[in-house]
Amino acid sequence: MGDSLRNIANTIKDLDSILIFPHINMDGDSLGASTALCLALRSIGKKSYVMLDEEIPENLDFLECGCSIYDVDSYDRFDLSLQIDSSGMNRILGREAAWEKGKIKGCIDHHPTVKQDVYYDFYLTEPETAATGEIIYRLIKYLGAEITLDIANCIFAAIVTDTGNFQYSNTTRQTHEITAELYDIKDFNAKIVSALIYERRSKDSIMMEGEVLSNLEFFSEGKVAIGTLTQDILTKYGCMMNESEGIVQRIMTIEGVEVGCLIKEDDSNLVRVSLRAKHKANVAVVATKFGGGGHLRAAGCTMYISPQEAKKHLIPELIQAAETYV
Ligand SMILES: [Mn+2]
């Protein structure tokens, strides 16, 4: 949907400076895709940065590659502000002023809908593509830039994190084909990248996860599983909220669970809800009902209530989702 990738590449080729915006609560795909593109743009003589407002999660620190910038006050204008892996102003919160520095605006995404609250001179969204990193890989090819080891690592990280190590139903032939091409890059080692992402967890974070999993609640004959991560639990184990990455996926490994839900208490009266479906249920519908969105089998929303109240609202919707297969 939207503009063609080839046209976007041609547009970018004519520009000199590009400021890239991954989404808030950055993940491996948004940061990996953003950095990969930034490095590729620099290699063909462009000025480019990845504009951030938050700290990079520790397990993604290797995706920084000298690209990130937190303050662009010294720059008057950029030719392009480019949003990656999301659309809409509420996905680049805290960076609105930087966004306005772009003479033109663009968006490259793989979420099903492009938010209409911001004007894009060009946009492309590919809902069938598992990771925005795949789109960026193809864009880099169109730009004529070389896939370096750093770029390969970023693309691989984007793909493995957004496909759950190729386990999610979004994984396609293209996902594997692009991944296969990465193996041709000199010194590329998938195991090293995977270990950086997945094998650097603290003992405390494992114990925190254990506590959430020990207190799961099940509904609809075990088809719905709900976990709750409160600030109290985080404090008890000295953990940060971003260490909850992976808990909802762990919930999905339980036999019989079709719909998984993790309610994360971010602040008093602010919870972030992660939703997953295994084979058939549509959790995007549930997320949308509460003002969020996402993919069919992986979605989320933010609710301005307590975890207990959020659970009360979510339970009937999740049961319905688990019983209504699509
Ligand atoms: Mn993504």
Side-chain angles (χ1 to χ4, degrees), residues 245-286:
E245 283 294 319
I247 296 183
V248 72
Q249 208 39 48
R250 180 69 83 183
I251 293 172
M252 298 313 292
T253 64
I254 301 168
E255 184 176 22
V257 168
E258 174 57 33
V259 172
C261 169
L262 181 65
I263 300 170
K264 296 171 281 188
E265 181 187 35
D266 215 15
D267 216 325
S268 58
N269 287 321
L270 199 173
V271 298
R272 297 186 197 283
V273 181
S274 300
L275 301 171
R276 296 289 184 277
K278 201 174 270 174
H279 297 303
K280 297 164 183 163
N282 180 350
V283 288
V285 164
V286 180

Side-chain angles (χ1 to χ4, degrees), residues 133-173:
E134 294 177 37
I135 311 173
I136 295 302
Y137 178 88
R138 286 156 37 220
L139 177 62
I140 291 172
K141 293 275 182 171
Y142 281 131
L143 289 170
E146 192 195 332
I147 306 291
T148 61
L149 180 60
D150 278 342
I151 292 176
N153 289 344
C154 286
I155 299 291
F156 185 75
I159 289 174
V160 293
T161 53
D162 255 29
T163 61
N165 298 305
F166 308 101
Q167 290 175 39
Y168 299 166
S169 55
N170 60 5
T171 307
T172 64
R173 180 189 183 97

Side-chain angles (χ1 to χ4, degrees), residues 28-315:
D29 187 29
S30 65
L31 183 61
S34 295
T35 298
L37 179 59
C38 181
L39 292 171
L41 290 169
R42 287 178 178 183
S43 79
I44 56 169
K46 313 291 184 192
K47 182 173 88 177
S48 184
Y49 293 102
V50 176
M51 181 76 215
L52 299 180
D53 184 50
E54 317 159 294
E55 250 182 74
I56 296 173
E58 275 174 33
N59 70 323
L60 302 178
D61 55 7
F62 67 101
L63 300 177
E64 200 275 339
C65 300
C67 286
S68 67
I69 190 169
Y70 285 80
D71 181 3
V72 288
D73 280 352
S74 46
Y75 297 107
D76 276 348
R77 296 295 269 166
F78 281 83
D79 291 331
L80 168 65
S81 285
L82 180 60
Q83 189 167 1
I84 294 284
D85 196 32
S86 65
S87 65
M89 294 308 285
N90 66 346
R91 302 295 283 152
I92 54 169
L93 287 179
R95 291 167 288 168
E96 295 91 341
W99 175 257
E100 292 309 325
K101 287 181 187 269
K103 275 182 241 164
I104 67 169
K105 314 281 198 282
C107 171
I108 298 175
D109 192 11
H110 67 139
H111 294 86
T113 49
V114 169
K115 280 260 164 57
Q116 298 300 319
D117 67 346
V118 46
Y119 173 79
Y120 295 113
D121 294 279
F122 66 80
Y123 76 86
L124 170 81
T125 188
E126 294 184 5
E128 306 300 323
T129 298
T132 301
E134 294 177 37
I135 311 173
I136 295 302
Y137 178 88
R138 286 156 37 220
L139 177 62
I140 291 172
K141 293 275 182 171
Y142 281 131
L143 289 170
E146 192 195 332
I147 306 291
T148 61
L149 180 60
D150 278 342
I151 292 176
N153 289 344
C154 286
I155 299 291
F156 185 75
I159 289 174
V160 293
T161 53
D162 255 29
T163 61
N165 298 305
F166 308 101
Q167 290 175 39
Y168 299 166
S169 55
N170 60 5
T171 307
T172 64
R173 180 189 183 97
Q174 177 187 270
T175 310
H176 286 288
E177 281 171 348
I178 289 174
T179 306
E181 288 180 24
L182 301 179
Y183 281 76
D184 292 337
I185 307 304
K186 190 176 179 310
D187 294 330
F188 175 74
N189 186 325
K191 175 58 201 177
I192 289 176
V193 182
S194 291
L196 286 170
I197 301 171
Y198 297 111
E199 298 175 1
R200 292 194 288 163
R201 288 187 63 184
S202 69
K203 279 178 258 168
D204 287 332
S205 122
I206 296 289
M207 284 158 70
M208 175 271 289
E209 179 173 316
E211 176 146 348
V212 174
L213 295 173
S214 320
N215 292 296
L216 288 179
E217 293 172 81
F218 294 91
F219 304 90
S220 202
E221 288 150 2
K223 287 206 274 285
V224 175
I226 302 179
T228 308
L229 176 54
T230 60
Q231 284 296 322
D232 283 350
I233 297 176
L234 287 177
T235 307
K236 180 173 167 189
Y237 295 100
C239 290
M240 305 285 286
M241 188 54 88
N242 62 29
E243 293 174 73
S244 68
E245 283 294 319
I247 296 183
V248 72
Q249 208 39 48
R250 180 69 83 183
I251 293 172
M252 298 313 292
T253 64
I254 301 168
E255 184 176 22
V257 168
E258 174 57 33
V259 172
C261 169
L262 181 65
I263 300 170
K264 296 171 281 188
E265 181 187 35
D266 215 15
D267 216 325
S268 58
N269 287 321
L270 199 173
V271 298
R272 297 186 197 283
V273 181
S274 300
L275 301 171
R276 296 289 184 277
K278 201 174 270 174
H279 297 303
K280 297 164 183 163
N282 180 350
V283 288
V285 164
V286 180
T288 305
K289 194 162 269 178
F290 296 106
H295 307 284
L296 212 55
R297 317 281 188 234
C301 58
T302 302
M303 298 167 83
Y304 297 89
I305 46 180
S306 72
Q308 287 309 320
E309 288 172 278
K311 201 187 301 171
K312 233 183 292 169
H313 286 98
L314 284 160
I315 289 168

